[in-house]
Amino acid sequence: FIHVSRDFVKMGKASKVVTVVVVALFAFAGTVKLMPFPVASMHYEMKHHFNSRFSRVFPLSGIGIQPDPDVYRTVVGLVELGCALLLIAGRSKPRIYALFTLLIVMIGAIYSHIALHDPVNEMLPAIVALLLILWLLFSNGVLDVKVKTP
């Protein structure tokens, strides 16, 4: 049982809808990385990608950090799942931390796809997730763009 925070209840409709989409996306993605549920074939495909592809282009490998592919996949899955829970149940600050954490994860995912020379359609889910996260950060006033007019 997950308690929905008061901060979530106070959000506008658009922010609620985008939050629920982001929560569903990352709860599903995190779960698929961790276990063969709800779609076993996706879990095994994800395992294969981390073992044969993503671990080769780990963003910190340039400084000598090279994780075990299974540990890498498990940590990413736990981070995605944990952040999804914080987005729906957390108060303001934990929600913001979760959004920034997911932003970093999506930048890493896009970096990996670019480093592997994947076509844009393979990185599209990460790009869409990144844009939704940015939208939530801007709509909640965490990020702000000020345009100076002459």
Side-chain angles (χ1 to χ4, degrees):
F1 181 78
I2 297 174
H3 172 73
V4 176
S5 75
R6 278 180 272 179
D7 292 338
F8 179 79
V9 174
K10 291 179 186 177
M11 276 187 213
K13 284 183 183 179
S15 288
K16 281 182 184 175
V17 169
V18 174
T19 298
V20 168
V21 168
V22 170
V23 166
L25 174 75
F26 285 104
F28 180 78
T31 302
V32 164
K33 286 177 183 76
L34 296 172
M35 62 187 80
F37 172 82
V39 183
S41 62
M42 288 182 77
H43 171 72
Y44 296 113
E45 181 180 338
M46 195 59 62
K47 262 182 117 163
H48 172 72
H49 283 305
F50 271 85
N51 286 331
S52 64
R53 303 179 74 232
F54 298 142
S55 61
R56 289 186 301 138
V57 294
F58 181 68
L60 301 178
S61 61
I63 59 170
I65 299 173
Q66 191 65 45
D68 174 76
D70 287 329
V71 172
Y72 183 24
R73 177 182 45 81
T74 301
V75 168
V76 171
L78 288 171
V79 166
E80 289 175 342
L81 195 55
C83 287
L85 292 173
L86 280 175
L87 287 177
I88 199 80
R91 302 195 63 70
S92 287
K93 281 190 180 180
R95 290 183 80 254
I96 300 307
Y97 297 146
L99 286 170
F100 275 112
T101 301
L102 290 173
L103 186 69
I104 291 166
V105 170
M106 288 303 94
I107 290 169
I110 293 167
Y111 165 84
S112 295
H113 285 294
I114 291 169
L116 290 164
H117 306 290
D118 286 342
V120 173
N121 66 318
E122 286 188 28
M123 61 180 93
L124 204 52
I127 293 169
V128 170
L130 178 98
L131 292 173
L132 291 173
I133 292 163
L134 286 171
W135 189 87
L136 285 171
L137 288 168
F138 279 107
S139 70
N140 288 307
V142 177
L143 296 178
D144 194 13
V145 175
K146 295 186 183 191
V147 179
K148 290 185 179 181
T149 56

